[in-house]
Amino acid sequence: MKGLWYAYLTLNRKYWIGAAIAFVVVIAAGVLIMVFADDDPASMGAESLMMMIMPWVAPMVLSEAICRDLEANIRRRFAQYSLCAVTHRTYVMFYFTVLLATTAVGLVLAVATILALCGCAQLPLTGSGLISPDDIPFSLFVLAMGNVFTWLMMPLTMELKSHEKAGLVGGLVLGFGVVMPYVLTNISSDGGLQLSMFTVSTEDMLIGSAVMAVVTVIAWLWLLHDVKKGGAV
Amino acid sequence: MENSIEIKGISKKYAQFQLNDVSFSVPCGTVMGFIGENGAGKTTTIRAILGLMKPDSGSITVLGGEAGSLPADVKERIGVVFDGLAFPETLNAVQLDKVMSGIYKNWSSETFFGFMDRFSLPLKKKFRTFSRGMEMRLSMAAALSHDPLLLVLDEPTSGLDPVMRSEILDILLDFMQDETHSILISTHITSDLEHIADYITFIHKGRVVFTEDRNEMREKYRILKCTEEDVQRMDKADIIGMKKTRFTVEVLTAAADKYPDIVADVPSIEDIMVYYVKEG
């Protein structure tokens, strides 16, 4: 597995560099938004929403590398070569460890982004921020969900031999099946979005985590089945 | 272990193609030439041997284990060359050495760099700048650098000039000096097999036509230079394949003894393959 890790890190260096750049750019952009923002946090739905999204940017750049790597390895047949040397289970385990490592680094980046934005930028007059440490649990929860989604895209990428197609299918299912119903059920009577919808109770997080664990296992078994079947590689 | 590879009745159905009841064995210490025209099923069979494809039925044993679930220590003893570069083209040889040493426990950097030097391959150039011949040489170098017992080679000499092909064949002969080693080599360039193969398996339209000892093939098959009358009086069952030229009819047969009055030539492996395909 060490060799696969070396190959992964070497071949996907651009994503790690990209994530580092995104991390810096996001903090700079966040500070600028705060500096030029109106003083009343209540009237800044769009800005608050952007702040909410910012911690996810750099981690998502890292997550993108996982499926891209699988797709590239299938196309350049390095996946075939690797599977001639390691067992099917080891191959799936390798990608799972990549996912875990990426998630861990992503969580650290997200927390660092939130803390940096809290520390660097307050609204000029009120002195309050558009993002606070209270947002960390929700941010990390969504980030973990994003990485579980990435993991679910792995077998789909193998089946379709394309990360774009897998992303399209997965995106449509996620968009229409999860995000849209969630937004619609949380829309306020005057038709606007409530920022309160971006908070999740501890109970919801526990249920969500259990669902994520089940989805992770299903995706694992699906990926292992695809690798064993061998149609795609 | 009597056979390095043992294939029993494997079948696999695709929309456009079917592998049908394929069976053959590669005895330990021998070289098996695997021949057939494009799309005959060679690569599909090799993928099944390597556990990259699960057949619908049948069984494959490789180095004593079931092909689909070989443990890592057995897999490590199989050297593989695909019919194209299987390494990321943004890597160079030094980086590949690091990748491989992390994959194969028996990986020898010394052997690998020795082959790189012998094949005149650059160490720091990215593989994307390599020619087809360089890619194949690199693949051979990698396959031979982790102390394999079995080499599975899919068209390893295609795209190579005669000098380099000869060098590769010499390396394979060196490899075969150890009698525990075996090679399965699929190739279009059947003349390569004349020098190294102990057995030949011929696959045609997803079916194995024959698996035969190369020396016995030399004794068994003949091309008879017939007239039309000769062909008429021949037993149709004796005619494997036929090719009409301007003045004669050339007939491939395994029963030349029955026609001692007809001039006979010893066919090459390529001749045998071509005649079988034409008849088919």
Side-chain angles (χ1 to χ4, degrees):
Chain A
M1 206 188 282
K2 209 169 71 183
L4 295 176
W5 258 106
Y6 177 82
Y8 182 84
L9 293 174
T10 308
L11 296 170
N12 296 292
R13 219 169 11 204
K14 60 186 178 217
Y15 287 98
W16 294 86
I17 294 168
I21 293 169
F23 177 69
V24 174
V25 169
V26 155
I27 292 171
V31 171
L32 283 177
I33 288 171
M34 299 279 236
V35 169
F36 292 108
D38 201 349
D39 247 9
D40 179 11
S43 68
M44 289 188 294
E47 287 91 336
S48 298
L49 204 60
M50 279 179 73
M51 284 295 181
M52 192 67 81
I53 292 165
M54 283 184 166
W56 305 332
V57 177
M60 281 301 150
V61 173
L62 284 183
S63 301
E64 177 73 5
I66 307 173
C67 284
R68 289 277 173 208
D69 184 74
L70 179 68
E71 181 192 41
N73 283 343
I74 291 169
R75 289 191 175 166
R76 65 168 81 104
R77 300 204 291 181
F78 187 51
Q80 282 187 15
Y81 197 91
S82 305
L83 282 166
C84 291
V86 302
T87 62
H88 300 124
R89 214 169 275 276
T90 305
Y91 195 69
V92 175
M93 179 57 109
F94 156 68
Y95 272 111
F96 189 64
T97 56
V98 170
L99 180 87
L100 290 181
T102 304
T103 306
V105 175
L107 295 180
V108 170
L109 284 177
V111 171
T113 307
I114 292 171
L115 294 179
L117 288 173
C118 294
C120 296
Q122 278 89 38
L123 293 172
L125 293 178
T126 60
S128 64
L130 284 171
I131 194 164
S132 79
D134 294 343
D135 296 319
I136 288 176
F138 175 74
S139 234
L140 299 192
F141 181 70
V142 173
L143 198 60
M145 260 188 358
N147 280 353
V148 170
F149 179 72
T150 298
W151 183 238
L152 191 57
M153 287 302 98
M154 294 288 280
L156 211 53
T157 299
M158 192 162 262
E159 296 260 350
L160 301 172
K161 294 178 193 172
S162 159
H163 177 47
E164 268 83 19
K165 286 181 193 166
L168 185 66
V169 172
L172 286 173
V173 172
L174 185 75
F176 287 109
V178 181
V179 177
M180 192 181 275
Y182 183 71
V183 169
L184 288 176
T185 52
N186 282 281
I187 212 153
S188 65
S189 54
D190 61 356
L193 281 174
Q194 295 171 324
L195 283 176
S196 60
M197 67 186 270
F198 297 110
T199 55
V200 191
S201 67
T202 309
E203 192 188 338
D204 285 347
M205 278 200 198
L206 286 174
I207 294 168
S209 301
V211 171
M212 282 194 279
V214 171
V215 171
T216 303
V217 172
I218 290 171
W220 166 290
L221 294 172
W222 185 9
L223 185 60
L224 184 63
H225 170 265
D226 277 357
V227 170
K228 278 186 176 170
K229 189 179 73 176
V233 290
Chain B
M1 189 173 49
E2 197 182 329
N3 295 318
S4 293
I5 301 174
E6 214 169 288
I7 302 177
K8 286 182 185 164
I10 62 160
S11 299
K12 179 79 182 178
K13 200 170 184 177
Y14 293 106
Q16 307 285 332
F17 169 75
Q18 193 170 353
L19 209 59
N20 223 323
D21 196 24
V22 170
S23 299
F24 67 91
S25 300
V26 181
C28 280
T30 66
V31 178
M32 170 69 79
F34 194 34
I35 60 170
E37 77 274 28
N38 278 335
K42 299 189 298 292
T43 299
T44 307
T45 307
I46 285 177
R47 283 163 55 86
I49 290 168
L50 296 172
L52 297 173
M53 177 274 281
K54 197 175 177 182
D56 297 334
S57 60
S59 69
I60 305 174
T61 308
V62 182
L63 296 178
E66 196 212 326
S69 55
L70 286 178
D73 58 334
V74 176
K75 284 189 174 218
E76 289 195 11
R77 304 309 300 274
I78 305 171
V80 181
V81 173
F82 291 114
D83 58 348
L85 188 68
F87 305 122
E89 52 188 22
T90 49
L91 291 182
N92 62 35
V94 175
Q95 290 170 321
L96 182 67
D97 172 63
K98 285 182 184 155
V99 171
M100 295 308 226
S101 60
I103 291 178
Y104 291 104
K105 281 194 199 105
N106 291 334
W107 180 261
S108 163
S109 297
E110 196 185 334
T111 308
F112 178 65
F113 289 124
F115 277 119
M116 294 298 286
D117 187 42
R118 185 170 171 182
F119 291 154
S120 310
L121 292 171
L123 297 180
K124 295 274 174 73
K125 272 194 171 179
K126 290 188 173 180
F127 299 150
R128 73 155 68 100
T129 63
F130 278 25
S131 66
R132 166 87 175 153
M134 291 163 88
E135 288 178 0
M136 296 316 289
R137 280 179 271 162
L138 173 73
S139 303
M140 282 299 299
L144 290 163
S145 298
H146 54 92
D147 191 22
L149 279 176
L150 168 67
L151 286 180
V152 178
L153 314 172
D154 193 1
E155 305 281 354
T157 51
S158 68
L160 299 184
D161 60 64
V163 176
M164 192 45 67
R165 267 171 43 212
S166 165
E167 171 129 21
I168 296 272
L169 294 177
D170 285 344
I171 289 167
L172 295 181
L173 286 173
D174 277 353
F175 175 78
M176 289 308 295
Q177 293 304 307
D178 186 328
E179 59 188 21
T180 61
H181 289 175
S182 318
I183 300 176
L184 173 69
I185 174 171
S186 94
T187 182
H188 283 105
I189 308 167
T190 49
S191 59
D192 290 346
L193 299 177
E194 308 276 1
H195 303 111
I196 59 164
D198 299 302
Y199 295 92
I200 301 290
T201 290
F202 174 39
I203 189 167
H204 179 50
K205 291 184 178 170
R207 284 180 186 276
V208 170
V209 179
F210 63 72
T211 296
E212 294 191 21
D213 185 305
R214 175 69 195 119
N215 291 326
E216 284 173 16
M217 282 173 75
R218 281 194 194 101
E219 300 300 319
K220 182 176 171 184
Y221 292 103
R222 290 290 179 270
I223 292 176
L224 302 180
K225 309 276 185 185
C226 305
T227 60
E228 290 285 354
E229 293 74 39
D230 291 332
V231 175
Q232 293 303 319
R233 69 183 172 87
M234 280 181 78
D235 186 344
K236 293 288 174 271
D238 292 339
I239 300 174
I240 294 168
M242 202 160 51
K243 196 159 77 179
K244 286 187 181 176
T245 63
R246 197 167 165 191
F247 302 108
T248 60
V249 181
E250 293 182 349
V251 172
L252 179 75
T253 181
D257 293 349
K258 287 164 71 175
Y259 312 100
D261 55 321
I262 304 175
V263 177
D265 276 350
V266 179
S268 63
I269 296 171
E270 186 171 321
D271 290 330
I272 295 170
M273 186 173 115
V274 169
Y275 278 90
Y276 262 106
V277 171
K278 282 197 166 208
E279 185 60 20

